[in-house]
Amino acid sequence: MLKKRLKIALALAVLGTTSSANALVIGAGSATGNCFPFGCSYWTPTYQQVYDASAFDAPLPISTLSFYRSIDTWSGNAPNTGIYTFSLSTTTAAVDELSANATANLGGNVLTVFTGALPTDVAPGSRMDIFLDNAFNYDPLFGNLLLSINVTGLASSGNTLSFDAVDNASDGTSRLYMAGGLRDSTGLVTGFNEALSQPVEHDQLANPVPEPTSLALFGLSLAGLFGAYRRRK
């Protein structure tokens, strides 16, 4: 029985280490606040954001996306209502060179990864985590990463809610928004798999991975189990 428990504990420890290693945030430099596409309603029909492949060191299975609210402290906490659809694909479009035609930016491997409503409360200084319905296996060798967002039944929550955004030469991201294909070099600071390795930020997180302190305590318990197993042998 003890041997079985030891195997389970080792498997959980490996899982926690893997989750932390696969987390990445893109958006360097000084951040500002921007309401597209979660905190204002005049960006439709499509929002796209491209991320430079050079920001990814290796292939990455993406299972959560995170957006940050450290700059905006003056408005309410509720994002827009409506059913959001997120898609991911590789793209040949470069950062700051998205086509005005959103369809032309999509790669052949486009995958719908999330359909649903946004969290109802994102407090200042916190993070909005989107848990994907389908993981996307991204390989930077095949091109840049493209996030596409559409929404049905969009309605303003009454707040001009802003999330952290960057606009500088080294941020590695840019966007397309609004009818007519308006484009600029701004992009939301975006976390990939951050929700798997960082503490709970709001109630959308149902099964958080332990914080580093918890993992350390877990490691001590694991060592105790291993010692007990050796003594019994």
Side-chain angles (χ1 to χ4, degrees):
M1 179 64 180
L2 184 58
K3 186 175 182 180
K4 182 178 180 181
R5 289 168 60 191
L6 181 60
K7 287 181 178 179
I8 293 172
L10 284 168
L12 289 173
V14 170
L15 177 62
T17 302
T18 301
S19 297
S20 179
N22 286 340
L24 172 70
V25 178
I26 294 181
S30 300
T32 59
N34 197 274
C35 68
F36 294 161
F38 307 126
C40 50
S41 57
Y42 46 93
W43 55 270
T44 55
T46 300
Y47 178 94
Q48 288 185 330
Q49 188 164 327
V50 60
Y51 305 89
D52 198 296
S54 65
F56 298 83
D57 294 332
L60 182 68
I62 301 169
S63 56
T64 70
L65 297 172
S66 298
F67 303 93
Y68 305 85
R69 196 178 167 216
S70 63
I71 302 298
D72 174 12
T73 60
W74 56 86
S75 61
N77 297 341
N80 291 336
T81 59
I83 301 302
Y84 278 73
T85 298
F86 290 65
S87 298
L88 290 171
S89 75
T90 54
T91 181
T92 57
V95 173
D96 297 330
E97 295 182 15
L98 284 170
S99 170
N101 179 356
T103 302
N105 295 319
L106 297 173
N109 61 343
V110 61
L111 176 69
T112 298
V113 294
F114 173 82
T115 301
L118 301 177
T120 58
D121 191 318
V122 183
S126 70
R127 182 185 75 205
M128 181 174 75
D129 295 318
I130 305 297
F131 285 78
L132 305 186
D133 304 320
N134 301 297
F136 181 78
N137 294 313
Y138 173 60
D139 190 336
L141 292 177
F142 294 108
N144 294 331
L145 179 66
L146 182 72
L147 169 64
S148 300
I149 299 176
N150 292 277
V151 63
T152 58
L154 178 65
S156 172
S157 64
N159 307 301
T160 306
L161 193 68
S162 294
F163 287 81
D164 295 2
V166 288
D167 181 9
N168 58 66
S170 61
D171 59 34
T173 187
S174 67
R175 67 183 179 182
L176 160 76
Y177 60 99
M178 295 184 69
L182 296 181
R183 294 157 290 169
D184 60 32
S185 58
T186 300
L188 293 180
V189 177
T190 307
F192 299 91
N193 298 340
E194 276 286 283
L196 303 181
S197 63
Q198 297 296 320
V200 175
E201 296 290 343
H202 58 70
D203 60 8
Q204 192 186 359
L205 281 171
N207 297 296
V209 172
E211 299 178 51
T213 302
S214 300
L215 287 173
L217 293 173
F218 180 74
L220 291 174
S221 299
L222 183 61
L225 276 172
F226 185 74
Y229 174 66
R230 292 190 62 184
R231 287 195 298 272
R232 289 188 62 175
K233 289 184 67 178

